[in-house]
Amino acid sequence: MDLLDFSDCKLYFEDPLPAAAEKLIAQASTEYGEDTAELALLRAHLMAPDNLTVLVGLYRYYFYQHRLDDALMVAERAMQLSGRLLGLSPDWRTLDETRLGTAAANSFGMMRFYLLALKAASVVLLRLGQIDASRDRLIKLAGLDSRDQLGAAKLIEVVDAFHHPAEEPEIQLAAA
């Protein structure tokens, strides 16, 4: 399965968004860096709580504001919502190739969104210092993406290089 092929799939941002919510997202982008930006995004979320475009806006806002706990909560909500639309279990650990294939047949674009939300949660967990929790998600993602088109295997390599640096060989001292 080519996770980079978008030719025949609907993408999350193609779902209709109420005009008022769209206006609030635009407002938030022009007011980024001001206190009012978050309020505009939260108001858009109240208007369209199940719209993935709104969740992506919230995630990006929190991530770039270094509000990582909030970003993680939004990434997990995006996984929950997209997973529900795909008929997936709320527990990402149960995802396997069979379930992924069924999800892709249902909506390839939504399945890809789900996987990217899983990766986003992993990145946030890394930034929060929760290396093992992040690595678990990355291993799951890498196992489902054999061509590493989403880059999870490369992230695992980087995590492992920094988290478990090559150990120095133990020097054996001879008994005197």
Side-chain angles (χ1 to χ4, degrees):
M1 168 178 345
D2 186 354
L3 294 173
L4 298 179
D5 180 11
F6 300 99
S7 59
D8 289 329
C9 67
K10 182 179 174 189
L11 302 174
Y12 76 91
F13 51 81
E14 295 175 320
D15 284 339
L17 183 63
E22 191 170 337
K23 184 177 176 183
L24 287 165
I25 290 173
Q27 176 187 339
S29 71
T30 60
E31 295 174 355
Y32 185 80
E34 298 175 32
D35 295 337
T36 54
E38 180 181 13
L39 181 58
L41 288 168
L42 291 173
R43 287 178 58 210
H45 182 59
L46 285 173
M47 289 179 187
D50 292 343
N51 187 284
L52 295 176
T53 299
V54 174
L55 288 177
V56 168
L58 274 170
Y59 171 82
R60 289 178 177 166
Y61 177 81
Y62 290 136
F63 185 84
Y64 293 118
Q65 290 290 317
H66 305 285
R67 291 178 51 187
L68 299 176
D69 289 320
D70 293 326
L72 180 60
M73 185 172 43
V74 174
E76 289 174 343
R77 172 71 177 132
M79 284 176 54
Q80 176 191 36
L81 180 59
S82 58
R84 186 177 74 221
L85 293 171
L86 291 167
L88 297 174
S89 166
D91 185 358
W92 57 267
R93 291 171 198 88
T94 66
L95 191 60
D96 58 22
E97 289 183 16
T98 302
R99 288 181 178 92
L100 189 66
T102 302
N106 184 6
S107 173
F108 181 81
M110 187 63 61
M111 180 272 307
R112 188 174 185 285
F113 180 91
Y114 177 89
L115 294 176
L116 288 171
L118 179 60
K119 181 180 177 184
S122 301
V123 169
V124 172
L125 287 165
L126 282 175
R127 301 273 310 267
L128 288 168
Q130 297 180 33
I131 306 303
D132 292 336
S134 172
R135 196 171 184 286
D136 289 345
R137 286 161 179 78
L138 290 170
I139 287 170
K140 172 59 81 173
L141 186 55
L144 297 168
D145 180 13
S146 61
R147 298 190 320 200
D148 198 31
Q149 292 178 306
L150 301 180
K154 293 286 185 208
L155 271 175
I156 293 168
E157 288 177 21
V158 171
V159 168
D160 287 349
F162 285 96
H163 190 60
H164 301 291
E167 295 182 24
E168 296 291 323
E170 188 174 317
I171 300 174
Q172 303 270 332
L173 297 176

